[in-house]
Amino acid sequence: MKKNPVYRHEIAELTTLLRRLGVEKPDIIRLLNTTEERFAVWLKRYPELQSAINEPTPAVRAEEALIKRALGFKISEATAEELVDKNSGELLEVLKRRTVTKDVPPDVRALLFYLKNRWPERWSESQSENYTYTPDEDERDL
């Protein structure tokens, strides 16, 4: 029978580090030498542990970043023109502030990489070489 340790705040920090390394919840419970029931009680009682266990793994973060790059996204850049005293280097006044929203276009290579790895049976190149196009009846009249 496993001995159930008393909760300490270091457990949340350790859980965060383990999640960032890609360790899954059952393995974390085993490494903490506790039971699933005790861990469930801790999750309800301590919000910092709940947020630690919800920390996305590196694989999830990488997949999210790849999807974002493949589909394109918007990014905002804030700039400011400042009036600075030449002698003292002190900021005298902020003249203009502006925020520019830029579109980062979709990246076709990232999209192909994602599709080929996520659904290789549908998107692999070897299969596309054997694929023959047959037009629908509507397209034959064109």
Side-chain angles (χ1 to χ4, degrees):
M1 187 84 170
K2 289 183 178 179
K3 180 183 176 190
N4 284 314
V6 176
Y7 181 82
R8 296 180 322 274
H9 293 286
E10 295 84 19
I11 289 175
E13 295 171 14
L14 179 62
T15 301
T16 301
L17 292 172
L18 290 170
R19 288 296 291 158
R20 287 182 182 160
L21 292 171
V23 179
E24 297 295 329
K25 183 178 173 181
D27 296 324
I28 292 172
I29 292 170
R30 185 179 53 76
L31 290 169
L32 292 174
N33 195 27
T34 190
T35 63
E36 288 185 38
E37 294 80 18
R38 173 66 61 166
F39 197 76
V41 169
W42 288 349
L43 287 174
K44 289 179 185 174
R45 206 173 284 168
Y46 304 103
E48 70 268 11
L49 183 61
Q50 181 69 43
S51 64
I53 200 70
N54 290 333
E55 177 82 21
T57 62
V60 170
R61 291 197 327 261
E63 187 173 1
E64 289 171 352
L66 179 62
I67 292 169
K68 181 179 177 181
R69 182 70 180 119
L71 299 176
F73 57 95
K74 294 183 185 297
I75 188 168
S76 295
E77 285 184 358
T79 59
E81 274 187 40
E82 301 171 340
L83 183 59
V84 179
D85 184 7
K86 289 183 181 179
N87 296 331
S88 67
E90 181 182 338
L91 176 65
L92 299 175
E93 184 180 357
V94 177
L95 300 175
K96 289 183 187 177
R97 287 184 194 263
R98 66 179 193 176
T99 303
V100 177
T101 302
K102 295 182 179 180
D103 285 323
V104 177
D107 185 343
V108 175
R109 291 181 70 192
L111 182 58
L112 286 173
F113 180 82
Y114 179 77
L115 292 173
K116 285 179 182 181
N117 286 286
R118 186 71 171 178
W119 296 285
E121 66 281 351
R122 186 172 177 188
W123 291 96
S124 71
E125 291 180 21
S126 61
Q127 195 175 36
S128 66
E129 293 170 0
N130 299 330
Y131 179 76
T132 56
Y133 174 74
T134 54
D136 294 338
E137 289 180 18
D138 296 338
E139 293 179 349
R140 289 184 191 145
D141 295 335
L142 298 175

